[in-house]
Amino acid sequence: TNRAAKVVQNGADNASDVEQTGGDLVYSAGADVNQQGNDNSSLVTQTGDSLSAGVDQQGNDNQSNILQTRRGGSAFVDQYGNFGKSDIQQIGENNDVGNTNAAGVQQLSGSLRESSLIIQGGRLNSAKVTQGGTDDVSEIRQNVGYLPDNPSTSNSATVTQSGSSNV
C-alpha cells in the first residue's frame, strides 16, 4: 500500500492542507508539496483510484488548489515567481494535467500575477499550461463526458504563453 503525503515548507506564513481518502487500483494515492518562500498556500484534496498531485512553489504569495476525485488522476503545479495562482479540478476517467516529466501548469521564474484554471470532466483528458511573463491568464475546460456513440472520446489541450499581458 502506498498512500503517502509529504509537505516541505521553508519561509514564513506558508500554509498547506492535504486531504486524501485513498487510491485504489493497487493502493496508490500520492501528494507532494514543496513551498519555498513566504505567504504561499496550497490545498490538495483527493478521493480515490490512482491519484497523485504535486505542487512546487518557490517565491512569494503563490496559491495552488488541486481537487481530484476518481480514476487515473495525476496533476502537477510548478510556480516559480510571485503572485502565481493555479486551480486544478479533475473529476472522473483518465485525467492528467501533467507529470514529473512534462509538468502541467508551469508558471515560470519572474512570473507576476499569473493565473491558471484547469477543469476536466470525463473521458481521457489531458492538459498542459506553461506561462512566463507578467499578467498572463490561462483557462482550460474539458467537460466532455461519456458519449454512447463515441466511447473513446479523448481530449487534450496545451497553452504556452511567454511575454507580458497575455490572456
Side-chain angles (χ1 to χ4, degrees):
T1 60
N2 181 11
R3 295 188 176 151
K6 174 186 166 186
V7 176
V8 176
Q9 298 182 127
N10 289 309
D13 298 320
N14 291 318
S16 180
D17 189 7
V18 176
E19 300 176 18
Q20 294 181 323
T21 301
D24 216 332
L25 302 177
V26 193
Y27 308 105
S28 187
D32 183 67
V33 177
N34 180 26
Q35 296 186 143
Q36 309 291 323
N38 300 318
D39 299 311
N40 295 312
S41 67
S42 66
L43 171 63
V44 177
T45 305
Q46 299 182 324
T47 301
D49 289 354
S50 298
L51 302 172
S52 187
V55 180
D56 186 7
Q57 299 184 138
Q58 298 186 23
N60 300 317
D61 297 302
N62 291 310
Q63 257 186 314
S64 177
N65 297 316
I66 298 176
L67 168 68
Q68 298 179 327
T69 54
R70 296 187 53 82
R71 282 302 159 218
S74 195
F76 220 92
V77 176
D78 288 315
Q79 296 187 141
Y80 302 115
N82 301 318
F83 304 104
K85 183 174 183 196
S86 174
D87 191 1
I88 297 173
Q89 300 178 25
Q90 295 183 328
I91 299 169
E93 293 305 332
N94 233 358
N95 296 321
D96 185 30
V97 172
N99 56 51
T100 56
N101 295 324
V105 182
Q106 180 174 328
Q107 299 178 326
L108 305 174
S109 180
S111 63
L112 180 64
R113 298 199 199 318
E114 295 191 59
S115 181
S116 179
L117 170 67
I118 296 175
I119 298 174
Q120 297 183 323
R123 298 318 292 152
L124 308 172
N125 296 320
S126 179
K128 180 179 178 179
V129 175
T130 303
Q131 299 179 325
T134 57
D135 298 323
D136 292 349
V137 175
S138 174
E139 181 171 332
I140 297 174
R141 293 178 187 256
Q142 297 177 331
N143 295 314
V144 175
Y146 176 76
L147 303 175
D149 53 56
N150 190 1
S152 66
T153 300
S154 63
N155 297 319
S156 184
T158 300
V159 175
T160 303
Q161 296 179 330
S162 214
S164 62
S165 300
N166 296 321
V167 176

